[in-house]
Amino acid sequence: MRIRVFGGLTEQVGGDHIELPVPADRPLTVTQLRAAIASAHPHLAPLLQRVTVAVDLEVARGDEAVPPDAEVALLPPVAGGAEDEAVERTTITGLVTPPIDVEGTLARIADAGTGATALFLGTVRDHAPGVAGVVQLQYSAYEPMAERELDTIAARILADHPAVTGIAAIHALGDLEVGDHTILIAAASPHRAAAFDACRATLEAVKTQVPVFKREITTDGTARWVGFEPEQEHSLTPEDD
């Protein structure tokens, strides 16, 4: 792939473009393209978080695919000044069927400028207050609203925490056994304080605003919806038949 460069990048590469080997049968995403450029041209790695990627004359970000035959350009900050430097900021949100891809998600929100990634990983435990041992959790959601709320929360966190360069908010749905991961919240930043703060703020928002519902299945056969336990809900006994 021939990648055009402009402005101060031309001095860094000694010309108006760089060449990058890419798979012919599998388009790279913008995030993967950035990583490949950093690997092939290590001296550019510290600069890439301030560079915008353009694909066929349009700004492209994150998971957008880059066709092998596309016109690709790396654009440094424009002439408006340093205060408007372009920084790639990645959000990954959604509802997924377990297992949650923990390592893959963390890799996607990090870049060469990431110095800290704060992670919260929820896990099904074998107990809960007021019930016998837990054997399974069942998660369901009002999916269109939940996905929209996850997107809204991630965008707000990035606005409230300008030092953060990546946010992930992923929730599992379906039947989860003890030890399975239920939710992944992560924040990437050059420094740890911003990452910790954004991770916690994202988690608290998801827990209170996203319409995901939890049903606990216990060792004695009892099932309850957490936070909404009708008095008549109980386990069946032979006398109930």
Side-chain angles (χ1 to χ4, degrees):
M1 177 180 289
R2 186 177 187 270
I3 301 174
R4 302 182 66 185
V5 300
F6 295 87
L9 288 174
T10 61
E11 296 177 0
Q12 296 291 326
V13 304
D16 63 3
H17 72 280
I18 58 175
E19 300 284 344
L20 186 71
V22 298
D25 58 341
R26 178 177 54 83
L28 299 179
T29 65
V30 173
T31 299
Q32 292 169 335
L33 179 67
R34 286 177 175 274
I37 294 170
S39 177
H41 302 273
H43 67 291
L44 296 181
L47 304 174
L48 289 178
Q49 67 172 331
R50 295 188 289 148
V51 170
T52 298
V53 177
V55 177
D56 289 333
L57 308 182
E58 298 284 345
V59 172
R61 304 183 186 281
D63 291 338
E64 294 183 45
V66 183
D69 59 349
E71 179 176 329
V72 181
L74 301 182
L75 310 177
V78 296
E83 291 183 355
D84 295 321
E85 287 182 347
V87 176
E88 179 79 5
R89 309 182 80 193
T90 302
T91 60
I92 301 173
T93 64
L95 307 172
V96 302
T97 301
I100 296 174
D101 182 6
V102 178
E103 292 186 3
T105 301
L106 296 182
R108 288 165 62 193
I109 66 169
D111 59 24
T114 299
T117 302
L119 167 69
F120 175 85
L121 192 60
T123 307
V124 180
R125 62 188 181 188
D126 64 0
H127 63 281
V131 299
V134 174
V135 297
Q136 186 184 76
L137 296 182
Q138 298 173 342
Y139 282 96
S140 58
Y142 181 12
E143 296 186 25
M145 182 177 177
E147 291 182 340
R148 186 181 68 179
E149 285 298 309
L150 289 170
D151 287 343
T152 299
I153 289 167
R156 185 172 68 247
I157 293 297
L158 288 182
D160 292 344
H161 300 266
V164 169
T165 55
I167 286 288
I170 297 173
H171 207 299
L173 295 183
D175 299 345
L176 283 77
E177 310 299 326
V178 172
D180 288 345
H181 297 316
T182 61
I183 185 173
L184 182 154
I185 304 294
S189 174
H191 303 288
R192 65 182 182 274
F196 276 125
D197 291 346
C199 182
R200 184 180 185 89
T202 304
L203 174 64
E204 298 303 327
V206 169
K207 285 295 187 180
T208 58
Q209 298 173 32
V210 178
V212 172
F213 315 105
K214 178 169 71 173
R215 189 169 188 254
E216 290 175 336
I217 310 299
T218 66
T219 54
D220 64 0
T222 300
R224 71 170 183 177
W225 290 99
V226 176
F228 187 70
E229 300 92 9
E231 291 183 2
Q232 69 271 20
E233 183 172 300
H234 61 283
S235 60
L236 291 176
T237 65
E239 290 76 14
D240 295 317
D241 293 338

